[in-house]
Amino acid sequence: MLEHLFSGILTAFSPSVFPVLIFGVLGGIILGALPGLTATMGVAILLPFTFGMEPTAALVMLIGVYIGGIYGGSIAAILLKTPGTPASAATVLDGHTLAAKGQAARALSISAVASFIGGLISTIVLIAIAPLLADFALKFNAPEYFALALFGLTIIASVSSKNILKGLLAGCIGLLVSTVGLDPISSVPRFTFDVMDLYSGINVIPVLIGLFAISEGLNQLEKLHTQKKSAPPKFDHKLLSKKDLKTMLPTAVKSGLMGTSIGSVPGAGADISAFVCYNEAKRSAKNPDEFGKGSVQGLAAAEAGNNGVTGGSLVPLLTLGVPGDAVAAVLLGALIVQGLTPGPLLFSQSPEVVYGVFSSMLVANIVMLIIGLLGIRFFCRIIEVPKIIMIPIIIFLSVIGAYAINNSMFDVGIAISFGLLGFILNKMEIPSSPILLAIILGPMAETNLRKSLLMYDGSWSFLYERPIALAFIVLAVFSVYSTMKLKKKQAQAPLAE
């Protein structure tokens, strides 16, 4: 294996591959930073350009876009409170708070380093124990997916600021929205009102753009109208300190490992991983009340968690031929186009391609770190652009991003509608994150719950008869208990003072 890996590293630095790798990572960062242009979309857009390329170079470029795109989403999330991708929604909670305090450079550097750690860990795990993780992923069936989704939904209580009831209300709104479309089992239309565009459900990307980008644009427009003109915000150019690195390192490593495990489970993507890792970091932190207020650990957990998925999602793809997420599904198409068959035989028939990809992922994460750190001064200039110019640009890019998903004005309408909803909820101090989380996890929970009940003839015994499902249920109960205990402590703190 070491011989193949060394040969792969030489391939990654070859004149025909290395420039393509840099182009992929840089292009992914740019696409990821633009609201609505996700890593999946970036890989899909560039896929046709790889048809005439050599297999290793083609896959390396697409994987570079994947790695760069997941990280790139954090740039807009931190600077503009607008997640570039769904995977960066959790990054907003602490990343933008740091930027608002004038510590944008610090937040961006923490994000870059945490993303690198998560991506590096996932790649090392992919190389070392891919077959073992793939075997674990094979044990997942409907009961396990339901339990995983249920565990994810318990995070709603964690991201509900001080008022859990308002967070649960937001979560219920998200679950209601997730039921729109055809019933996943019987295909009966639900809440479609005979509108054909609603038959396929409500796409999460326009919802994300509306809740975070457009609503934030409306909030800023209101502030421009009601507040006096102020000087452009100043920010500190200092990057993360040694203390920050020491604080974030254990959390980043743990979140990277968790993200890799979650990514290896088909269907559980970077967005779910980011929230799960964030919740776990908050639960186990010594000062959990700092989360949401500019916590270094919170930002590191979200970024290491979503980048940990990059390697994990390739585990079932390369070893079993089963894509771990939407990006891996596009990469599956790229492999087939190149005449390669994903699965166990790929390792024996085309080891130069497999280990070329492995080595290139290591190099791509290093390139992503270098570009991320070198670009911080340039990225931070975004904050200095006058809001009267920046806000219309954000809203314009948001509309373009919503339209580009399906070339549909209906999606633009969805984005604008949820932008208005997010604006109203903000006035009522109801958080938007639970809505997005529920829309992502709702279909997964409902579909797999009903499949599980069908498998067990209507019995709920699958919740305790299957060890992995039971483990997730226990984690969910513990997560709710620890969160409620923390909220109670936070509520009592002002009284004690």
Side-chain angles (χ1 to χ4, degrees):
M1 188 179 85
L2 289 175
E3 182 183 345
H4 286 308
L5 196 58
F6 180 72
S7 176
I9 291 173
L10 293 178
T11 301
F13 283 104
S14 66
S16 61
V17 174
F18 191 60
V20 170
L21 186 150
I22 294 176
F23 171 77
V25 174
L26 183 59
I29 290 174
I30 294 171
L31 286 169
L34 297 174
L37 300 182
T38 63
T40 307
M41 190 177 294
V43 174
I45 289 170
L46 291 179
L47 178 61
F49 294 94
T50 66
F51 291 165
M53 297 172 65
E54 186 266 331
T56 303
L59 291 171
V60 163
M61 185 176 78
L62 295 177
I63 288 171
V65 174
Y66 184 19
I67 291 171
I70 295 294
Y71 161 69
S74 69
I75 297 171
I78 290 170
L79 297 179
L80 305 173
K81 200 181 176 182
T82 305
T85 64
S88 303
T91 305
V92 173
L93 301 174
D94 288 291
H96 182 71
T97 308
L98 283 172
K101 293 178 179 178
Q103 301 174 30
R106 181 184 177 214
L108 287 168
S109 60
I110 291 170
S111 170
V113 172
S115 297
F116 167 72
I117 293 171
L120 186 66
I121 287 172
S122 74
T123 304
I124 293 171
V125 171
L126 172 65
I127 294 169
I129 58 171
L132 294 177
L133 275 177
D135 184 57
F136 174 72
L138 271 179
K139 296 177 181 178
F140 272 62
N141 208 321
E144 286 74 24
Y145 282 119
F146 166 69
L148 174 62
L150 186 65
F151 173 51
L153 285 169
T154 63
I155 300 168
I156 287 175
S158 178
V159 297
S160 298
S161 63
K162 294 182 179 179
N163 194 320
I164 292 181
L165 288 178
K166 288 184 177 180
L168 292 176
L169 173 62
C172 289
I173 293 172
L175 288 175
L176 185 63
V177 171
S178 73
T179 63
V180 174
L182 296 178
D183 183 287
I185 304 299
S186 63
S187 295
V188 174
R190 302 184 304 192
F191 308 113
T192 57
F193 306 103
D194 293 327
V195 177
M196 288 302 298
D197 290 293
L198 288 176
Y199 274 64
S200 57
I202 295 177
N203 194 309
V204 68
I205 304 298
V207 174
L208 179 147
I209 290 172
L211 286 175
F212 290 93
I214 295 178
S215 67
E216 179 63 16
L218 294 174
N219 285 328
Q220 295 298 331
L221 281 175
E222 184 188 36
K223 288 179 181 178
L224 282 177
H225 180 71
T226 58
Q227 294 179 357
K228 294 180 180 179
K229 289 185 178 180
S230 57
K234 295 181 180 181
F235 58 89
D236 193 338
H237 285 280
K238 291 181 181 178
L239 304 182
L240 80 167
S241 62
K242 289 183 180 179
K243 183 181 178 182
D244 289 334
L245 186 60
K246 186 178 179 181
T247 301
M248 66 176 275
L249 193 59
T251 301
V253 170
K254 182 173 74 171
S255 297
L257 290 169
M258 287 180 63
T260 305
S261 300
I262 292 169
S264 69
V265 178
D271 41 7
I272 295 173
S273 176
F275 277 108
V276 170
C277 292
Y278 182 87
N279 185 62
E280 171 55 26
K282 183 176 181 179
R283 185 197 63 77
S284 60
K286 292 181 179 178
N287 299 307
D289 54 317
E290 292 180 3
F291 280 63
K293 300 175 183 177
S295 168
V296 171
Q297 289 177 297
L299 176 56
E303 281 303 297
N306 60 30
N307 281 269
V309 171
T310 54
S313 65
L314 296 184
V315 172
L317 173 67
L318 295 176
T319 57
L320 305 172
V322 178
D325 60 8
V327 178
V330 180
L331 292 173
L332 174 64
L335 283 166
I336 294 170
V337 166
Q338 295 292 340
L340 301 170
T341 304
L345 293 178
L346 184 64
F347 286 76
S348 57
Q349 294 177 350
S350 305
E352 71 286 349
V353 174
V354 173
Y355 286 97
V357 168
F358 286 170
S359 304
S360 297
M361 287 186 71
L362 290 171
V363 177
N365 278 289
I366 295 171
V367 170
M368 179 265 291
L369 176 65
I370 294 171
I371 293 175
L373 292 176
L374 291 178
I376 284 175
R377 285 185 177 273
F378 170 75
F379 299 147
C380 286
R381 296 295 175 192
I382 296 173
I383 294 181
E384 294 183 332
V385 177
K387 288 186 178 180
I388 195 68
I389 297 174
M390 180 54 65
I391 295 168
I393 292 175
I394 292 173
I395 293 176
F396 175 75
L397 288 175
S398 300
V399 170
I400 294 297
Y403 178 79
I405 300 161
N406 295 311
N407 295 330
S408 169
M409 286 302 296
F410 183 80
D411 285 338
V412 174
I414 292 291
I416 293 172
S417 299
F418 275 90
L420 292 171
L421 176 64
F423 178 72
I424 294 168
L425 292 178
N426 182 64
K427 296 294 179 188
M428 301 168 65
E429 297 184 349
I430 295 176
S432 297
S433 296
I435 298 178
L436 181 66
L437 188 60
I439 291 174
I440 292 170
L441 291 172
M444 181 179 175
E446 181 196 4
T447 302
N448 289 292
L449 171 61
R450 294 175 65 183
K451 284 181 179 179
S452 301
L453 290 172
L454 287 172
M455 287 170 59
Y456 282 76
D457 296 322
S459 170
W460 291 80
S461 59
F462 64 87
L463 293 176
Y464 54 83
E465 286 183 357
R466 301 176 73 98
I468 296 175
L470 179 61
F472 278 122
I473 296 295
V474 171
L475 283 173
V477 172
F478 183 70
S479 175
V480 171
Y481 171 75
S482 59
T483 301
M484 296 291 285
K485 190 175 180 181
L486 172 63
K487 298 292 182 184
K488 185 177 180 181
K489 188 185 295 184
Q490 289 175 338
Q492 290 174 345
L495 296 176
E497 294 173 2

